[in-house]
Amino acid sequence: MSQGPPRSQFTQSVLAEDSARRQRRTRLLAGTAGLLALVLCTGGWMLWSATDDEADAQDAKAVQQAPDDIRDTVENVPRSPAGRLIVDYREKEFGKRRGADASVPAPGTWATDRTLVRGVGDQLKGFTFGTSEEAWSTDLGGPICDTTRHVTADGRTAVLVQERAEDGDKGDGGKSGKSGKSKGEKDSDEKKGKKSGKPDKGDKGDKGEKSKGDKKGKGKGKGKGKGERGKKRKPARPEPPAPCDRLVFVDLDTGKKLWQAKLPEARTAFAPNTNVTMVRGTVTVAWGDGSVAYDMAGGERLWASTSASACGDAGFAGGRALLALRRCGDGDDRTYRVQKVDPRTGDPEWTYKVDRGIRNVYLVSSEPAVIAVAAGDGDDGGVTGLITLDDRGAYRSTVDMPEGRYMENCSVPLFGTVETCHSVAVGRDQLFLATARKGSDANGIVSFDLTTGKAVRTFDSRGRGVMYPLEVSGGKLLAFRGSGNGVDPDAVVSLDPETGKERPFLLFGVPDGAGPVEPGRADVVVEGGRVFIAPKELRAAREGDGEGAAYGALGIEGA
């Protein structure tokens, strides 16, 4: 599937202002003392937090969840918005070890009740709150290709890996436990028996086909001898990159690999055209030419679709339900279908056919079902609208997105392929979009009714800095707002769609070395009343006394 247009106007404008903003940002946040000093000096923000509804806590209650449920935390506003540092992860001497211009992909940021976890290169790194030292590190056996933001209620998630050829199946090579394969880490596709009654083609790529000259293990001895007597050999062809065909299911509190599986016939699974997501009890992977689902409990394969057909699974969206995006045909004849899928069987429950003439489709939310579409000719434009569907897959409404009016980053993912609209938040009844910036540091967030597609309310940033939506929790919208002047703190704020009131959730500061905090370029995770910020790529600091350190993650909780 085409990866869509170049970076959006929002992204381009941020890049253009990076150098100017860096000159204005004079905050001193190398450690906890600097962070607290900054927050406590912002008296205006503290007074603002005590105005309208200081005693008004978010009254929605979290529903008790089963271990295999996808975590759906209801966040309550901390008693104090003044943030204190609980994680300050930096890769020391990164520039010295890797080079001043080196970068390492860092896909994946997750948080549990006691651990922050980062995906960096070919490893997962866990950090206990209150320390900047690694609690554990797990070698995944190859570079991370894709991750899912979803986490189970008991703190597990899935990671897709491009396996290192020399490693084979070595199990857990990290610090998280014993080496080798435990019973729970056995490759699931080596197990006999499948729950699904569908035929399974097996992993042909694992058999290692022999050439004619290698029949019975003898090889062509004469050819080898001639080469030794001076005959020129043809240069060896470079080995093609290994596919992203290894799925690893991990415990985020310990780093332990619970199980891993090799995807069937996934020879065309390459980043960034791969997609992994989760729904209750099930992990699914798609790579355009195929898809597969596994049971969370032990990694048993539930179903797979790897045969050639007119339509292929471009990707899935998980969470409360499982949506599949099916791409049919190529070029001008390409069409798309969105299906709600039974996670345990792979059977569609309903199908929505996207109108012809759509270049790209992205899955914004699985329940309520919301998709983003890019219409028009060529790949020079972004998303042009959001389509909402009802619980039977019937069309509900369209939210029009004229070019340049709203933030849009669905089409410029660093990782993943269809579940990539990080600047759109969807609640039960409304969705939220950030407007493009006005000048340098002002914009707003607009709420839209899912039934009518019409705008309901606008939250203005009031010149405090550009903000964008993160998630809907307990009926409130949580949004990130950057510092508008480099002196006031960055913040996560809570916006009430019913009353229009705004409250600070947490106030903090993001060091310049962490890079710009914007959709698609950094993860902002809110979990358990805490905020975590992490860049999607690690790069060495250009200035300061960090000795070329690369910023990896920042964690804040209420003081």
Side-chain angles (χ1 to χ4, degrees), residues 14-24:
V14 170
L15 292 175
E17 293 181 7
D18 272 353
S19 59
R21 288 177 62 83
R22 192 172 291 114
Q23 294 175 3
R24 300 199 308 269

Side-chain angles (χ1 to χ4, degrees), residues 301-320:
R301 193 192 304 179
L302 299 173
W303 49 267
S305 174
T306 56
S307 59
S309 64
C311 299
D313 290 326
F316 297 100
R320 297 190 184 105

Side-chain angles (χ1 to χ4, degrees), residues 115-389:
T115 309
L116 171 69
V117 180
R118 288 244 58 202
V120 180
D122 57 4
Q123 293 185 322
L124 295 181
K125 298 174 180 285
F127 300 86
T128 303
F129 303 152
T131 176
S132 297
E133 300 297 325
E134 289 182 11
W136 52 261
S137 176
T138 299
D139 186 342
L140 294 171
I144 300 172
C145 298
D146 191 32
T147 63
T148 174
R149 67 178 182 273
H150 301 302
V151 177
T152 64
D154 63 353
R156 295 167 292 157
T157 196
V159 180
L160 193 62
V161 173
Q162 181 184 45
E163 189 177 13
R164 288 193 296 260
E166 67 272 18
D167 281 359
D169 295 332
K170 290 186 178 181
D172 187 350
K175 303 174 185 177
S176 56
K178 299 178 181 179
S179 61
K181 292 181 184 178
S182 68
K183 182 178 180 181
E185 293 168 343
K186 182 179 179 181
D187 275 3
S188 66
D189 281 351
E190 294 173 359
K191 299 177 181 179
K192 294 183 180 180
K194 305 288 185 289
K195 283 188 178 180
S196 172
K198 298 182 180 181
D200 195 339
K201 295 188 177 182
D203 298 336
K204 295 179 181 179
D206 293 344
K207 295 181 179 179
E209 297 177 1
K210 295 182 179 180
S211 65
K212 293 181 180 179
D214 292 335
K215 188 175 182 181
K216 296 183 181 180
K218 294 181 179 180
K220 291 186 178 182
K222 293 182 179 180
K224 183 177 179 181
K226 289 182 180 179
E228 292 173 350
R229 288 196 293 269
K231 184 177 179 180
K232 291 184 178 180
R233 294 186 181 186
K234 294 181 179 180
R237 293 182 179 179
E239 290 291 331
C244 298
D245 63 355
R246 180 67 63 180
L247 180 66
V248 184
F249 199 58
V250 296
D251 184 318
L252 291 173
D253 280 322
T254 65
K256 180 179 177 60
K257 297 179 185 178
L258 302 174
W259 54 262
Q260 52 188 333
K262 189 164 186 176
L263 309 185
E265 301 184 39
R267 301 181 188 89
T268 59
F270 298 104
N273 290 324
T274 53
N275 158 250
V276 58
T277 195
M278 303 195 311
V279 67
R280 179 179 180 177
T282 306
V283 184
T284 62
V285 184
W287 58 93
D289 291 334
S291 61
V292 63
Y294 296 93
D295 180 66
M296 279 184 182
E300 181 180 10
R301 193 192 304 179
L302 299 173
W303 49 267
S305 174
T306 56
S307 59
S309 64
C311 299
D313 290 326
F316 297 100
R320 297 190 184 105
L322 185 63
L323 283 193
L325 177 64
R326 306 210 74 204
R327 184 183 60 224
C328 310
D330 293 305
D332 294 338
D333 296 328
R334 177 181 296 171
T335 59
Y336 294 93
R337 300 174 185 174
V338 177
Q339 295 179 325
K340 183 178 180 181
V341 174
D342 184 325
R344 309 301 289 181
T345 65
D347 296 330
E349 297 180 4
W350 52 251
T351 299
Y352 173 78
K353 293 183 179 180
V354 181
D355 290 343
R356 288 185 174 274
I358 297 299
R359 290 181 288 103
N360 274 320
V361 178
Y362 308 92
L363 302 178
V364 179
S365 170
S366 63
E367 187 180 294
V370 179
I371 65 174
V373 297
D377 298 328
D379 288 337
D380 56 351
V383 166
T384 55
L386 301 175
I387 296 175
T388 71
L389 308 176

Side-chain angles (χ1 to χ4, degrees), residues 100-102 513 539-544 548-549:
D101 297 322
R539 295 180 179 274
R542 290 289 187 178
E543 51 192 30

Side-chain angles (χ1 to χ4, degrees), residues 446-469:
V446 183
S447 63
F448 294 87
D449 186 274
L450 292 178
T451 301
T452 65
K454 294 181 179 180
V456 177
R457 188 185 299 276
T458 298
F459 298 90
D460 195 275
S461 68
R462 308 176 188 177
R464 288 192 173 115
V466 175
M467 62 181 181
Y468 66 89

Side-chain angles (χ1 to χ4, degrees), residues 88-98 104-106 118-121 123-125 127 132 134 137 537-541 546-553:
D88 185 16
Y89 160 43
R90 309 177 192 223
E91 287 281 346
K92 298 178 181 179
E93 297 186 336
F94 183 89
K96 181 178 180 181
R97 290 185 287 110
R98 297 179 179 270
V104 173
R118 288 244 58 202
V120 180
Q123 293 185 322
L124 295 181
K125 298 174 180 285
F127 300 86
S132 297
E134 289 182 11
S137 176
E537 288 185 318
L538 268 57
R539 295 180 179 274
E547 297 181 353
Y551 217 97

